[in-house]
Amino acid sequence: METSQVTEQREQRQCLWWRGLLWNIELWGGDSYCEMLPIDGPPSFQGQSVKYMYKLTIGCQCVNSPIKLLHIPFHVLVLHGLKDYQFPQDEVMVPSNPFLEEEEGLKKDSYLVDLVTELLMVATSQRSLYLYNISNTRGKVGMFRIFKTMYKIREDVIGTFNFYEGDMPCLQFSVSLQTEESIQEELSSRHGAQGQPISFSTHTHHQEACLHTAQSSFSLPIPLSSSPAFTTNIVSLKWRLHFELMTSGELAGTCLVRGSKSEAVTWIGVEQIEMDTFSWDLPIKVLPNNPILAAYVSQFSSTNSITI
């Protein structure tokens, strides 16, 4: 029986997609194959009701032998807005070094990487102070401060609480970085009770006891394996910060034992206390990561083979 081997090689830049990604596959024997990803395709996403997964399937067959298939998964990131972007003419896209000759395809790929990097930098580097008063039916609990609401994947979401000006003490707070997966209303009503129209997934979480705390902060990293916000005709993915705060109005006076002015103030904790818990959601925007940084996930080119 005649035996041959087919090898597929992936490069680092092929781990994400912007305005269509060109696959360049080198086959054993010098043959090659190229494929362009669709411009309007969704990013790689594994949700509770919907999954978008990309893989490359290579099939080979010898005479009088069964077909052998090789499945190679890859990850896709999407930056919305590049579809309508007007790219300059090819004469404008010159290489950085005029003494080096480059192919036209490599020129455009290099330009796209620089363009995506610049767009992400401009969108996520803008800072402005956002202040939110936290209160419930009993009064003001504190204030929350955050400097931006647009982030990239692998970036940290940082926020600060100020309980000093609160009218009632906060016993404990928790912050969760969540995604909201919403199925389109038509599909949800068509399938009935088979799936939930809206589901939430928690990626990172921070919890802290903050009684007698004037200020506190948190830092929630956005996982590198997560998907940026996107919308298709089937599902919509959004990001948010979910807050839960526990308060009580029974701590004033009864639990404080004061001695003379020269002695320290001692607080004695109570065995039972009535608590009120309320929640609050703050929407944020999450964009894909820098293409160069995303390629660092697989720094080494991978080789897959199939024998027939």
Side-chain angles (χ1 to χ4, degrees):
M1 178 180 297
E2 182 181 0
T3 303
S4 62
Q5 189 178 52
V6 179
T7 303
E8 183 274 345
Q9 185 173 3
R10 281 188 302 174
E11 297 180 358
Q12 297 179 17
R13 65 181 181 89
Q14 296 171 340
C15 67
L16 73 159
W17 160 83
W18 59 91
R19 195 177 172 86
L21 174 64
L22 183 65
W23 279 84
N24 185 11
I25 306 170
E26 298 179 359
L27 302 178
W28 181 77
D31 298 331
S32 62
Y33 170 77
C34 296
E35 183 65 31
M36 184 73 68
L37 294 180
I39 296 178
D40 296 330
S44 298
F45 173 66
Q46 187 171 357
Q48 300 184 21
S49 302
V50 178
K51 294 182 181 180
Y52 291 108
M53 303 179 65
Y54 290 82
K55 65 180 179 179
L56 181 67
T57 301
I58 301 177
C60 301
Q61 184 183 23
C62 289
V63 180
N64 298 328
S65 299
I67 299 177
K68 295 295 185 65
L69 298 178
L70 177 63
H71 303 284
I72 304 174
F74 59 95
H75 193 73
V76 173
L77 297 177
V78 175
L79 179 61
H80 295 284
L82 288 182
K83 177 183 177 181
D84 301 327
Y85 185 83
Q86 298 297 329
F87 289 91
Q89 301 298 326
D90 294 339
E91 293 80 10
V92 181
M93 294 185 300
V94 296
S96 57
N97 191 343
F99 299 99
L100 297 179
E101 296 183 358
E102 298 183 15
E103 299 180 1
E104 294 297 327
L106 296 179
K107 291 181 183 179
K108 190 171 184 179
D109 289 345
S110 177
Y111 179 81
L112 286 175
V113 172
D114 296 337
L115 174 63
V116 172
T117 303
E118 182 180 357
L119 292 178
L120 290 174
M121 181 68 66
V122 172
T124 58
S125 61
Q126 299 178 0
R127 293 178 176 269
S128 179
L129 180 59
Y130 298 89
L131 296 175
Y132 300 91
N133 289 321
I134 306 174
S135 60
N136 57 8
T137 56
R138 295 187 176 182
K140 183 178 178 180
V141 179
M143 180 179 296
F144 175 70
R145 179 175 58 185
I146 194 171
F147 286 95
K148 66 176 186 175
T149 58
M150 186 175 295
Y151 302 87
K152 300 189 300 287
I153 291 179
R154 206 180 182 181
E155 200 171 1
D156 293 337
V157 180
I158 301 175
T160 304
F161 287 98
N162 186 354
F163 301 108
Y164 181 76
E165 300 179 355
D167 300 329
M168 56 187 310
C170 181
L171 305 181
Q172 179 178 290
F173 74 88
S174 64
V175 186
S176 301
L177 181 61
Q178 297 180 342
T179 51
E180 177 183 343
E181 178 184 350
S182 304
I183 306 299
Q184 298 299 336
E185 186 176 356
E186 297 180 358
L187 296 176
S188 178
S189 59
R190 183 185 308 174
H191 293 279
Q194 294 182 6
Q196 298 180 358
I198 300 178
S199 57
F200 300 95
S201 300
T202 300
H203 299 274
T204 51
H205 178 76
H206 176 85
Q207 181 174 320
E208 182 178 335
C210 56
L211 181 61
H212 301 316
T213 300
Q215 291 185 348
S216 183
S217 61
F218 65 88
S219 177
L220 298 177
I222 302 176
L224 185 60
S225 59
S226 58
S227 301
F230 68 95
T231 301
T232 64
N233 57 349
I234 299 177
V235 65
S236 174
L237 184 70
K238 300 179 182 179
W239 288 77
R240 71 175 189 177
L241 291 175
H242 179 70
F243 299 86
E244 291 186 359
L245 297 97
M246 301 174 58
T247 62
S248 177
E250 300 182 356
L251 299 180
T254 57
C255 300
L256 290 176
V257 178
R258 299 182 180 273
S260 61
K261 295 183 179 180
S262 61
E263 297 179 357
V265 177
T266 304
W267 180 83
I268 302 177
V270 296
E271 297 181 357
Q272 297 181 354
I273 187 172
E274 295 183 1
M275 296 181 298
D276 295 332
T277 303
F278 65 98
S279 60
W280 170 52
D281 297 323
L282 176 63
I284 62 173
K285 294 182 179 181
V286 175
L287 302 178
N289 197 4
N290 187 307
I292 299 178
L293 297 179
Y296 290 159
V297 179
S298 56
Q299 296 184 4
F300 303 98
S301 59
S302 59
T303 301
N304 299 273
S305 62
I306 180 175
T307 303
I308 56 176

